[in-house]
Amino acid sequence: MALTFRGHSGCSLELIGKDIVRKTSHSFTYNSRLFAQVQKQKSFCHTVIQTPSIINTGVRDGLFFCDMEYIRGVSFQDYCSAKSYSDIKELFSKLIVRSTETKDFTEDIYKKCLSLENFPMNLLSKVSWNLPVGSCHGDLTFENILIKEKEIYVIDFLDSFIDSPAMDHSKLMQDTFCAWSFEGKNSTPWHHLYLLNNIIQSKRNYILLLIHLYRILPYGDKKIKNLVKCKIQKVKETLKKF
């Protein structure tokens, strides 16, 4: 018997037996995006970070699906609330990709920001958009990072308008700076988040974080939109200090 629930993208997730998770597209139009995400997961390459093994892919009732290994781990969100900072920092540091190879993403960045309503375009000229090249998860939030016996797994890959480790670093700041994954929780490990944010913060990463927030601003109910607007204002105030 399969246990069905729904992920953030709207795709359905089924736990089949004890060892397999099936992710199914929520619509015909999303099939190509889910396929791209699966391909991204297959090609992800990192020295210490792992991904669930892809077991099978196919189409059922016109919807694309992917069967993958079920990882019984704890989310990095919960890990941060339960462990010492030294343990957290050790694993967090492994998420930061160091790359000497770079690529100019200026055109892609400007094009994306022009499509975002009321985005402060003047900020883009303040930094270089020559970004590191390498594997990019696309939605590297604390909820999408699982810890199993001190091994790191990443799940729920997302297609992105550019693929650069810098996008993942700034996405991590959605949690370290904005505490996004901790909204609605009983407690937030603010001190740990502050120290982790110091590791990855930069003017460029704050601007990339701003892009992430503007991208999600049109979605969600009034409460979510007000929350995102508060986070945007917080990032803007911080950028004034650089």
Side-chain angles (χ1 to χ4, degrees):
M1 180 178 178
L3 177 64
T4 303
F5 46 104
R6 191 162 294 277
H8 294 299
S9 67
C11 295
S12 66
L13 301 171
E14 300 173 74
L15 181 59
I16 302 174
K18 296 181 178 179
D19 302 311
I20 298 175
V21 171
R22 172 170 291 180
K23 186 172 186 177
T24 304
S25 174
H26 60 75
S27 67
F28 300 144
T29 56
Y30 200 82
N31 280 353
S32 59
R33 287 197 65 184
L34 182 56
F35 177 81
Q37 292 159 21
V38 171
Q39 296 305 115
K40 198 171 191 179
Q41 181 171 332
K42 285 182 177 180
S43 63
F44 186 78
C45 181
H46 197 284
T47 54
V48 293
I49 300 175
Q50 303 180 60
T51 64
S53 300
I54 303 294
I55 299 168
N56 184 38
T57 60
V59 176
R60 181 179 62 177
D61 298 328
L63 299 177
F64 179 78
F65 71 86
C66 170
D67 292 341
M68 67 190 87
E69 173 189 11
Y70 175 47
I71 305 299
R72 294 174 176 81
V74 60
S75 71
F76 197 68
Q77 165 196 356
D78 291 336
Y79 192 85
C80 280
S81 299
K83 297 292 183 177
S84 68
Y85 177 67
S86 59
D87 288 336
I88 297 166
K89 181 182 178 182
E90 179 185 356
L91 291 183
F92 185 80
S93 297
K94 295 177 181 179
L95 298 168
I96 311 304
V97 177
R98 310 295 181 187
S99 175
T100 55
E101 183 183 357
T102 61
K103 178 182 175 181
D104 185 1
F105 286 100
T106 303
E107 183 177 347
D108 302 278
I109 294 288
Y110 272 78
K111 182 179 179 181
K112 172 53 67 175
C113 292
L114 283 169
S115 71
L116 302 174
E117 186 176 358
N118 297 322
F119 187 87
M121 297 295 294
N122 61 303
L123 290 175
L124 300 183
S125 62
K126 307 295 184 183
V127 298
S128 167
W129 295 109
N130 206 41
L131 304 179
V133 174
S135 291
C136 172
H137 178 280
D139 192 23
L140 198 61
T141 64
F142 281 18
E143 292 175 312
N144 288 337
I145 303 166
L146 300 179
I147 311 300
K148 179 183 178 183
E149 299 173 356
K150 287 210 168 183
E151 295 291 330
I152 303 174
Y153 288 82
V154 289
I155 60 172
D156 287 346
F157 284 72
L158 190 64
D159 47 325
S160 179
F161 70 99
I162 63 170
D163 279 333
S164 168
M167 292 294 286
D168 283 346
H169 299 167
S170 59
K171 193 72 176 184
L172 284 170
M173 289 176 64
Q174 192 168 290
D175 282 316
T176 62
F177 185 75
C178 298
W180 189 267
S181 294
F182 297 89
E183 289 293 331
K185 301 297 180 181
N186 292 329
S187 62
T188 300
W190 288 110
H191 185 59
H192 289 168
L193 297 181
Y194 172 79
L195 294 175
L196 293 177
N197 194 68
N198 285 342
I199 296 174
I200 53 174
Q201 68 173 349
S202 68
K203 189 169 188 177
R204 187 173 66 189
N205 281 349
Y206 277 116
I207 296 173
L208 288 173
L209 172 59
L210 207 56
I211 293 173
H212 293 311
L213 294 173
Y214 269 91
R215 289 177 71 190
I216 61 178
L217 184 57
Y219 306 101
D221 55 23
K222 184 177 180 180
K223 180 180 178 181
I224 294 296
K225 289 181 178 180
N226 287 336
L227 174 64
V228 175
K229 287 177 181 178
C230 289
K231 304 298 185 185
I232 286 174
Q233 189 58 37
K234 182 181 178 183
V235 175
K236 287 181 176 179
E237 290 299 319
T238 301
L239 277 168
K240 292 177 181 179
K241 303 174 184 178
F242 281 83

